[in-house]
Amino acid sequence: MALSQLFWSQAWHRRNATKCGKCGPGYSTPLEAMKGPREEIVYLPCIYRNTGIEAPDYLATVDVDPKSPQYCQVIHRLPMPNLKDELHHSGWNTCSSCYGDSTKSRTKLVLPCLISSRIYVVDVGAEPRAPKLHKVIEPKDIHAKCDLGYLHTSHCLPSGEVMISTLGDLNGNGKGGFVLLDGETFDVKGTWERPGGAAPLGYDFWYQPRHNVMVSSAWAAPKVLREGFNPADVEAGLYGSHLYVWDWQHHEIVQTLELQDGLIPLEVRFLHNPAAAQGFVGCALSSTIQRFFKNEGGTWSVEKVIQVPPKKVKGWMLPEMPGLITDILLSLDDRFLYFSNWLHGDLRQYDISDPQRPRLTGQLFLGGSIVKGGPVQVLEDQELKSQPEPLVVKGKRVPGGPQMIQLSLDGKRLYVTTSLYSAWDKQFYPDLIREGSVMLQIDVDTEKGGLKLNPTFLVDFGKEPLGPALAHELRYPGGDCSSDIWL
């Protein structure tokens, strides 16, 4: 353990030992979370929008306990009451940011809808293996109180409230604001940002209270991305290329960081260490990882630390194919960074012991657009000598490429799904629509680094009762690397 990590871990325990006879949700520190129990079930939204199947999206519960007779099976499905919501990401009613409050309990999963702008609140506390719908928040309530829509990331706050980022207003124009919910009643309270203070574009966010900061990212206006990807929109400057730095206490933007080689910044990840004044963002279209950090004077800067070079190709929509970094994660000890290249098809692990100089320690191809025998021919490749083989797991050729990822608390298992967003799935991977997405599991070497596919693990969402579904983000009942924030 690094001395700095040991210091903040011990300091937190000393500060909270007298506060917390019976503690609240989550864990006292990220390092304590690494000692948590092995995951036994996983929740993930499954989408039918754009598949041709007239059925509601649903929350799937998957058994991931190797000792269970239902291992690798969907054991429960909770359908939503509406069609074409586009469930996407999810968050909790409360998490480790409320660890010191014994009155809080992690019992509700919050599911914002990217397209319909509804919010579903699901009770996972009463029966974790069979969740039930608790409350539906309709778009009109969000529009009326916030003038926001197209919801994305949900985070629980130290105040006990829930905050959800948005991509736009009700007309599909860009508007990076934040909807605030009461953490007990889930009533819409209004916007977190000050009136008129929304960012031009929105997507993801992460806060770090010790530095009085929040950082948010920018995809595009909903009307730009809603029906698919048009390269002309990139030329027209309609996709995001900035990070927004917010004053956490005053709820206002204090800096806008322009990203060099940073088109479409998506997932924002501060280091888990709450004393850390730096983090990373994955920029999808430029296929770069950018490090943002606090300067001595208190301002913030950003620098490119990883570049995935594009491949010159034939048989694709453009002459060059980007990797398309769509999800990134940091291990709870802040040692490893993981990301997925959805188009190239590889999953990567980097050692970030020196955050300014990440070092590649693991790489695994899990499908993608450049596999041998496919429609795309690679003409020039700065990284590979030959096109990778298609991935076959338990007799199934895996459609799509690695997309959403989730790491076990101890860092030893990485779960992967293959759907990005239904309209883009349909455009880039039509076979995903026909065959459904999959969930895979990767074994991680946490000592030397390295990734290895578990050949016995496959959840095939192509075999769902109502037809092939698109499975997206993964959540563990007790919190995970992308849901919990420490103070």
Side-chain angles (χ1 to χ4, degrees):
M1 184 188 301
L3 286 176
S4 60
Q5 292 175 323
L6 181 64
F7 173 79
W8 59 259
S9 177
Q10 292 175 339
W12 200 100
H13 278 294
R14 285 195 300 270
R15 191 166 68 249
N16 287 275
T18 55
K19 284 185 186 178
C20 203
K22 181 186 175 185
C23 291
Y27 300 90
S28 58
T29 69
L31 299 181
E32 283 299 309
M34 293 189 77
K35 303 173 188 175
R38 179 179 172 131
E39 66 285 355
E40 296 181 348
I41 57 174
V42 169
Y43 302 122
L44 65 170
C46 294
I47 291 89
Y48 276 126
R49 180 176 171 268
N50 277 315
T51 65
I53 297 172
E54 291 296 306
D57 299 347
Y58 61 96
L59 182 70
T61 305
V62 175
D63 190 320
V64 293
D65 181 1
K67 299 175 183 177
S68 169
Q70 296 176 303
Y71 181 55
C72 283
Q73 295 178 30
V74 179
I75 59 173
H76 187 267
R77 298 169 184 87
L78 176 67
M80 300 301 119
N82 300 282
L83 296 174
K84 297 178 173 35
D85 281 313
E86 190 93 30
L87 295 179
H88 200 61
H89 287 207
S90 63
W92 295 105
N93 63 312
T94 187
C95 66
S96 295
S97 64
C98 291
Y99 178 77
D101 186 348
S102 61
T103 68
K104 303 293 183 187
S105 180
R106 192 193 309 250
T107 59
K108 305 294 189 303
L109 189 64
V110 180
L111 290 156
C113 298
L114 187 61
I115 296 301
S116 73
S117 301
R118 285 187 184 89
I119 303 170
Y120 295 110
V121 182
V122 174
D123 183 351
V124 299
E127 293 184 67
R129 297 175 72 86
K132 294 181 173 63
L133 190 60
H134 175 73
K135 183 171 183 173
V136 181
I137 303 163
E138 293 293 343
K140 60 182 175 59
D141 299 327
I142 298 164
H143 295 160
K145 292 188 178 180
C146 306
D147 188 29
L148 292 170
Y150 301 90
L151 312 177
H152 193 266
T153 300
S154 174
H155 274 308
C156 37
L157 304 187
S159 62
E161 298 164 308
V162 174
M163 189 159 104
I164 302 172
S165 62
T166 71
L167 273 65
D169 62 17
L170 66 166
N171 296 315
N173 301 305
K175 191 174 184 182
F178 302 90
V179 175
L180 207 57
L181 303 181
D182 184 286
E184 300 291 335
T185 65
F186 301 101
D187 291 339
V188 180
K189 298 181 72 171
T191 62
W192 174 84
E193 72 277 9
R194 295 185 174 192
L201 298 173
Y203 183 73
D204 193 28
F205 71 101
W206 197 283
Y207 60 87
Q208 200 81 320
R210 293 196 196 181
H211 294 280
N212 187 35
V213 69
M214 180 178 83
V215 173
S216 68
S217 60
W219 187 0
K223 61 185 180 183
V224 170
L225 62 89
R226 184 166 44 201
E227 303 305 326
F229 175 75
N230 184 347
D233 291 335
V234 179
E235 295 297 323
L238 299 181
Y239 278 93
S241 59
H242 296 84
L243 291 181
Y244 302 98
V245 181
W246 300 74
D247 184 302
W248 180 242
Q249 291 181 348
H250 293 100
H251 304 190
E252 60 187 8
I253 296 173
V254 291
Q255 245 187 296
T256 298
L257 301 178
E258 184 175 357
L259 298 163
Q260 301 298 323
D261 299 321
L263 273 173
I264 314 187
L266 295 180
E267 310 300 337
V268 176
R269 310 289 187 225
F270 262 98
L271 297 187
H272 293 290
N273 174 353
Q278 61 181 320
F280 300 90
V281 63
C283 298
L285 195 58
S286 299
S287 301
T288 61
I289 299 292
Q290 310 262 349
R291 182 181 79 100
F292 54 86
F293 56 95
K294 189 178 183 179
N295 301 304
E296 287 186 10
T299 60
W300 291 77
S301 295
V302 64
E303 63 177 359
K304 180 173 71 174
V305 291
I306 299 171
Q307 172 76 65
V308 176
K311 301 179 189 301
K312 292 186 177 180
V313 295
K314 185 170 71 172
W316 196 62
M317 66 185 299
L318 296 169
E320 286 195 343
M321 180 189 291
L324 209 76
I325 296 174
T326 50
D327 196 15
I328 72 170
L329 275 184
L330 303 183
S331 59
L332 286 169
D333 58 3
D334 292 332
R335 184 184 168 195
F336 290 113
L337 179 149
Y338 300 87
F339 68 79
S340 52
N341 281 311
W342 190 57
L343 289 179
H344 287 179
D346 58 316
L347 183 69
R348 300 192 184 198
Q349 176 199 49
Y350 284 79
D351 186 317
I352 54 168
S353 300
D354 180 354
Q356 292 179 264
R357 296 170 185 82
R359 181 172 58 88
L360 182 64
T361 49
Q363 184 177 20
L364 197 58
F365 278 85
L366 303 170
S369 294
I370 60 165
V371 293
K372 287 181 181 176
V376 176
Q377 180 185 354
V378 178
L379 304 176
E380 187 176 317
D381 194 325
Q382 298 180 39
E383 294 185 316
L384 302 178
K385 294 181 180 178
S386 62
Q387 295 180 228
E389 297 289 340
L391 178 66
V392 179
V393 182
K394 298 181 77 171
K396 180 183 175 73
R397 178 168 169 157
V398 171
Q403 209 285 102
M404 295 307 298
I405 53 179
Q406 190 55 264
L407 189 65
S408 61
L409 295 178
D410 63 7
K412 294 181 179 179
R413 290 166 302 284
L414 194 65
Y415 295 91
V416 185
T417 58
T418 51
S419 166
L420 171 60
Y421 161 59
S422 67
W424 289 29
D425 291 351
K426 187 176 181 179
Q427 181 177 3
F428 290 102
Y429 288 116
D431 51 348
L432 267 181
I433 304 298
R434 294 189 299 269
E435 302 177 39
S437 62
V438 301
M439 176 177 164
L440 306 170
Q441 188 244 302
I442 313 302
D443 293 321
V444 179
D445 186 334
T446 57
E447 296 297 320
K448 299 177 183 177
L451 303 172
K452 184 179 179 182
L453 177 71
N454 179 349
T456 67
F457 188 103
L458 173 72
V459 184
D460 184 0
F461 290 94
K463 296 181 177 179
E464 286 297 272
L466 296 181
L470 303 170
H472 198 64
E473 190 190 42
L474 307 111
R475 283 275 171 259
Y476 307 140
D480 47 57
C481 294
S482 55
S483 69
D484 281 40
I485 295 175
W486 282 266
L487 304 183

